[in-house]
Structures are given as C-alpha cells and as structure tokens.
Amino acid sequence: MSLFVIIISGILINNYVLSRILGICPFLGVSKQVETAFGMSMAVTFVMTLAGVMTWLAQTYILEELGLGYMQTVTFILVIAALVQFVEMVIQKFSPTLYQSLGIYLPLITTNCAVLGVSILNIKERFGLLETAVNSAASAIGFGLAIVLFAGIRERLELSNIPEAFKGFPIALFTASLMSLAFLGFAGLV
C-alpha cells in the first residue's frame, strides 16, 4: 500500500512542477508543442529515475560510509550531469529532430532543480532503494504529465482569440497558475 501512496503522491499530490514549483524552466520553455514536451518528459523521466537511484546509492554506500555527507550536493550534481550527457548523446544519435527541437533545454536538465530535488528529498524522506526508485519514477511521470498537459493547452491557446495584452508568455503563466490550483484538488487523496 505504501508504494501506491508514493506513486499517487509523486504524480498528482506532490507534483514537482505544479505543487513544489520546481523545474519551471523546461516547463515554460519546452511546452509550446506537445511533441517536444513529450520528448522532454521522456528525457527527464529517464534522468530523474536513474538519478534518484544512483544518488541514493552514492549517498548510502559512499558518502555515509566515508563520512562525507557534506559533499551530497556536489556529488548529486556530478551524477546528474553525467546522466544528462548520456541522454543527450543518445537522443542526438537516434532522434536528431527531437535533439534540435529541445535545443538548449536538453543540457539544462543538469540544472533542473526538480531532478536534484527528487534526489535530495528521497534521502530526506529516508526512502529505501525500492521506494526511491518508485518515488523518482512517479515524480518524473508527474513532471511529464504536467508539461504535456500544459503544452496541449498552449497549442489550443494559439488558436484562440486572446486579448493582445495576454498573448504569449502572460497567458502561459496564467494557465500554469490555474493548472497548479487544479492539482491542489488532489491533496486530499491520501
């Protein structure tokens, strides 16, 4: 039952973008088209899940064993940067169009605070390895859900009659705030 709670919490209740307000840069920057947003969500899902597990292993078996807990942030950033470089090379090799459409936002996954946030919160919540993997994957799926839904809404807004003052970024921020309020409705699920 606790894994189910972790999954629901990671996807809906504690959504890193809409509840914890982490990972806003790619959320706003790559969400103009659903296809690009989906590609970014897949890359973030892979990196976030693997980063959560790898950082947990590094924390548990290296940092704590050697008494180097103060090196947590630096170690986590190095692990995340290595994973992002790997993902970047794979996407460039297998999907050059997606690689070009993601542009600067792909290497920025390294500094995506949602990826670092899930790694740090897994340790803070004292999750075991399985719980860490499940929470990391669920949080990544929640990130993907938020960015793809937001991209779908933004595509529809491009075809809508919007007052000139709200066109572009202002309506995007307003929409993101409404989505955040909507996701607050899930808070009573668990």
Side-chain angles (χ1 to χ4, degrees):
M1 187 63 179
S2 67
L3 290 180
F4 178 73
V5 171
I6 290 172
I7 292 169
I8 296 300
S9 178
I11 295 172
L12 299 174
I13 299 167
N14 293 320
N15 186 291
Y16 274 79
V17 174
L18 300 173
S19 294
R20 296 182 187 233
I21 317 299
L22 295 173
I24 298 298
C25 180
F27 177 71
L28 292 172
V30 186
S31 61
K32 292 181 181 174
Q33 296 177 345
V34 172
E35 186 177 318
T36 307
F38 183 74
M40 175 58 98
S41 71
M42 296 308 292
V44 168
T45 298
F46 179 77
V47 169
M48 193 180 282
T49 304
L50 222 53
V53 172
M54 298 297 285
T55 55
W56 185 90
L57 291 170
Q59 176 75 22
T60 304
Y61 294 112
I62 297 172
L63 298 178
E64 287 179 5
E65 290 292 323
L66 299 175
L68 298 172
Y70 61 90
M71 294 293 291
Q72 181 186 57
T73 305
V74 173
T75 305
F76 287 9
I77 290 172
L78 289 173
V79 168
I80 292 166
L83 288 170
V84 169
Q85 287 300 311
F86 174 72
V87 168
E88 190 173 4
M89 289 186 303
V90 168
I91 291 176
Q92 187 176 15
K93 173 85 173 162
F94 293 108
S95 182
T97 14
L98 178 60
Y99 178 78
Q100 285 187 332
S101 65
L102 290 175
I104 188 68
Y105 295 101
L106 188 57
L108 283 178
I109 294 174
T110 302
T111 59
N112 186 343
C113 53
V115 178
L116 182 60
V118 77
S119 297
I120 291 172
L121 289 173
N122 284 334
I123 303 300
K124 183 181 175 194
E125 294 290 328
R126 300 190 188 281
F127 286 148
L129 181 59
L130 177 62
E131 294 164 321
T132 293
V134 169
N135 183 54
S136 299
S139 299
I141 291 168
F143 177 88
L145 174 69
I147 196 170
V148 169
L149 286 174
F150 189 56
I153 293 170
R154 285 184 78 177
E155 280 185 358
R156 302 262 333 247
L157 286 173
E158 288 295 319
L159 304 172
S160 300
N161 186 15
I162 299 170
E164 194 64 36
F166 287 108
K167 284 188 179 179
F169 201 62
I171 195 71
L173 290 175
F174 184 73
T175 303
S177 65
L178 290 177
M179 282 182 66
S180 182
L181 285 173
F183 268 68
L184 283 175
F186 294 118
L189 281 177
V190 276

